């Protein structure tokens, strides 16, 4: 009786140990399979980063090589989806060239396939604080001031001014004639008076 009970207990214990060992082995295998799949290790820009200027590229680094024939990267900004050139893959790094980005928040979505055929997808977001470059101010060149053409100064024509000397000589002659006439008349009057006066006795 005692020996039979011990056998039953031993068989039950061995069964439990076998089940636990099998479960542990399955869990280890599942962990190894999960760790074997590719996953994103880091990105540039980092998820949630704030940048002072527009980044030239976006890079995604995985823990396994990525198949270069199955790459998809999309970028969405304040104005909607942006047109991008095709991304490239070198080893475990996927590179996406970016256009000049204005200030705003951007969301980058990626979808790649690892070397073992496992697809990986995800998104990262970043913010650009750059302000647009000021437009160059166009300065109007001053117009040349026209140089005034010197006009010909009319040469004053010598006008024949009436000579005052002949007029002066004429006026004097007239004065002399008047004086002579007055004197002549006076003398004539005196002579007449003398002739008419009777002689004294």
């Amino acid at each position: 009786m005692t020996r039979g009970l011990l056998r039953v207990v031993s068989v039950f214990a061995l069964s439990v140990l076998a089940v636990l060992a099998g479960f542990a082995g399955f869990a280890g295998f599942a962990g190894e399979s999960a760790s074997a799949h590719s996953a994103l290790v880091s990105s540039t820009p980092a998820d949630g980063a704030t940048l002072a200027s527009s980044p030239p590229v976006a890079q995604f680094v995985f823990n396994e090589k990525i198949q270069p024939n199955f790459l998809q990267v999309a970028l969405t900004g304040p104005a909607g989806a942006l047109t991008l050139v095709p991304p490239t893959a070198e080893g475990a790094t996927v590179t996406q060239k970016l256009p000049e980005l204005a200030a705003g928040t951007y969301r980058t979505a990626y979808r790649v396939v690892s070397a073992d055929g496992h697809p990986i997808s995800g998104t990262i977001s970043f913010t650009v604080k750059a302000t647009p470059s000021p437009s160059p101010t166009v300065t109007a060149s001053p117009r040349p001031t026209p140089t005034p053409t010197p006009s010909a100064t009319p040469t004053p024509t010598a006008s024949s001014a009436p000579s005052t000397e002949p007029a002066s000589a004429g006026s004097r002659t007239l004065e002399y004639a008047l004086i002579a006439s007055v004197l002549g008349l006076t003398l004539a009057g005196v002579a007449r008076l003398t002739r008419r006066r009777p002689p004294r006795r």
Side-chain angles (χ1 to χ4, degrees):
M1 183 67 180
T2 305
R3 291 181 180 178
L5 183 60
L6 290 175
R7 288 180 181 177
V8 172
V9 172
S10 299
V11 171
F12 180 76
L14 290 175
S15 300
V16 172
L17 291 175
V19 170
L20 292 176
F23 180 77
F26 176 79
F29 176 78
E32 290 179 359
S33 299
S35 62
H37 290 162
S38 180
L40 181 68
V41 176
S42 64
S43 66
T44 304
D47 188 22
T50 299
L51 310 177
S53 60
S54 175
V57 297
Q59 285 189 332
F60 307 90
V61 180
F62 299 88
N63 62 346
E64 274 192 0
K65 290 183 178 181
I66 300 299
Q67 296 186 25
N69 298 328
F70 301 96
L71 305 175
Q72 293 180 356
V73 178
L75 180 64
T76 305
L82 283 77
T83 303
L84 304 176
V85 299
T88 59
E90 184 175 355
T93 301
V94 175
T95 302
Q96 174 65 64
K97 292 184 178 180
L98 300 178
E100 186 71 20
L101 303 179
T105 300
Y106 294 84
R107 180 175 177 269
T108 305
Y110 61 88
R111 181 177 177 83
V112 297
V113 177
S114 63
D116 62 358
H118 181 70
I120 312 104
S121 61
T123 60
I124 64 169
S125 299
F126 60 90
T127 302
V128 177
K129 289 290 186 180
T131 55
S133 302
S135 302
T137 304
V138 178
T139 304
S141 57
R143 295 181 178 179
T145 304
T147 304
T149 304
S151 58
T153 304
T155 304
T157 305
S159 60
S160 54
S163 176
T164 57
E165 292 181 0
S168 300
S171 61
R172 289 178 182 177
T173 302
L174 181 59
E175 289 177 0
Y176 294 155
L178 290 174
I179 293 173
S181 298
V182 172
L183 291 175
L185 291 175
T186 303
L187 293 176
V190 173
R192 288 179 182 180
L193 289 176
T194 303
R195 291 176 183 176
R196 290 179 182 179
R197 186 175 183 181
R200 294 179 181 181
R201 292 179 180 179

